[in-house]
Amino acid sequence: MTPLQARNAAYSLALAVPAALMAGALVSQYVFGLYPCQMCWWQRYPHIAAIVLALLAFTMKGAGKGRGAGDMAVILAATATGISGLIGAFHAGVEYGWWEGVTACATVAESGGNALDAIMNAPVIRCDVAPWSLFGVSLAGFNFLISITGAVLVFALLGKGRKGA
């Protein structure tokens, strides 16, 4: 892989990883009814920031503003993805009972209609219970594994891309 290919792969991965994880979170919520708890929301915020930063990096790269500005946005995007992964690790530890979380539950009230009915009928979502798992790994655990791996790969690819500069 040439340095230019590595750099382009870093940019693409910096966008693809948080976008795929956010898409998965939204599908699990709106298609499968797995409503997010408070710590799930905390994991989403850095992914949203990473998506915005990665898109910004592509615009800087395309506008010819130099390697520095676009690369810095990619570095920040990868850092945000890594932060989401670390929050996911903490959340997974809470779900597995390794340590106590900072919040026990959250609720999602549907908008529209009678506000009191929406609040009273909203499901209570516990942060210390994994609503779904595969091979013993919860969604928070998968977020940790995928986010940290993706962030490390982005940094490695960007480093390889800079060697050819």
Side-chain angles (χ1 to χ4, degrees):
M1 179 178 284
T2 67
L4 180 60
Q5 289 172 327
R7 185 170 172 260
N8 289 339
Y11 275 62
S12 297
L13 199 58
L15 177 61
V17 170
L21 288 169
M22 275 302 300
L26 294 172
V27 166
S28 69
Q29 178 179 348
Y30 292 108
V31 176
F32 299 112
L34 298 174
Y35 292 103
C37 70
Q38 187 64 40
M39 283 194 268
C40 293
W41 279 107
W42 295 346
Q43 293 169 73
R44 290 181 184 194
Y45 300 138
H47 282 313
I48 293 167
I51 292 167
V52 170
L53 288 163
L55 288 171
L56 183 65
F58 273 106
T59 63
M60 290 176 178
K61 179 181 170 188
K65 295 195 190 301
R67 291 177 80 102
D71 286 2
M72 182 53 70
V74 169
I75 290 168
L76 292 173
T79 301
T81 300
I83 289 169
S84 178
L86 293 175
I87 296 169
F90 178 76
H91 187 189
V94 171
E95 291 173 336
Y96 300 139
W98 296 342
W99 47 73
E100 196 169 314
V102 293
T103 182
C105 60
T107 187
V108 179
E110 297 294 324
S111 60
N114 185 335
L116 182 59
D117 286 341
I119 292 169
M120 295 306 291
N121 295 323
V124 175
I125 311 301
R126 295 181 53 93
C127 291
D128 59 350
V129 175
W132 182 89
S133 66
L134 179 65
F135 306 120
V137 181
S138 68
L139 290 171
F142 278 111
N143 181 46
F144 163 69
L145 295 171
I146 296 168
S147 293
I148 295 297
T149 302
V152 168
L153 282 173
V154 168
F155 287 126
L157 288 166
L158 200 56
K160 184 173 182 176
R162 283 188 169 272
K163 287 181 183 173

